[in-house]
Amino acid sequence: VEVTSPFEMNTYLSRDCNFLRMCTLLINDLIYRGENRDSYKSCYELTILYKKNKKLSWVQVGTPNMFLYKDGLIPLSVSVPLILPQTPGALSLPQQFLGTEQHCHFQLGEVMVDSSQKVLLFSESCLYKDIWAIQKNDFTMDQLVKSQIQLDPESPFWMAMIDFKD
């Protein structure tokens, strides 16, 4: 049993995932008490990925959305926007931020990964329909960006891809 943390260990989470969870709670507490207790001065989004051996653990507040590619896209962590933009080219805001409330709401989890899989990080909530059925040989940044631009050429977005090749 962990006795040096102000937060309890969750027995259904691995040790690594518990540490990510506790770190996020501590960071939220520091920001809330130090910057936002009386009025909002700042807010943050947070994504931490940690891979040890073949296990990928994560904790996330806000965006980006995270998908695992394993013979198709599998949503790992998806942030629903506060409001979908009505104006073309407008940015959506996430519903959750780090440090704005005393209690932090976040997504966390873990999954086993191998060298053939990839993780896609994506700033927006709507992926172009063809990306969901993209084949392994076409799952490249170039192809993903070209496909996403077809959804709305005027909307800004960013993508990143993580592979697990040794």
Side-chain angles (χ1 to χ4, degrees), residues 1-68:
V1 175
E2 180 64 48
V3 294
T4 59
S5 171
F7 306 106
E8 72 284 349
M9 296 282 282
N10 286 345
T11 56
Y12 64 91
L13 296 174
S14 72
R15 181 177 173 86
D16 294 333
C17 211
N18 262 300
F19 283 133
L20 290 177
R21 179 183 155 275
M22 285 187 267
C23 288
T24 303
L25 291 170
L26 287 169
I27 293 167
N28 185 76
D29 192 57
L30 286 170
I31 295 169
Y32 176 74
R33 290 176 191 270
E35 298 178 24
N36 294 327
R37 180 181 286 230
D38 298 323
S39 64
Y40 292 149
K41 295 178 184 163
S42 60
C43 62
Y44 303 90
E45 293 179 272
L46 170 80
T47 300
I48 301 173
L49 305 171
Y50 177 73
K51 183 178 176 283
K52 184 175 182 182
N53 300 324
K54 293 189 177 271
K55 187 179 285 186
L56 175 69
S57 304
W58 70 88
V59 63
Q60 185 172 36
V61 180
T63 58
N65 295 311
M66 244 177 24
F67 302 89
L68 177 68

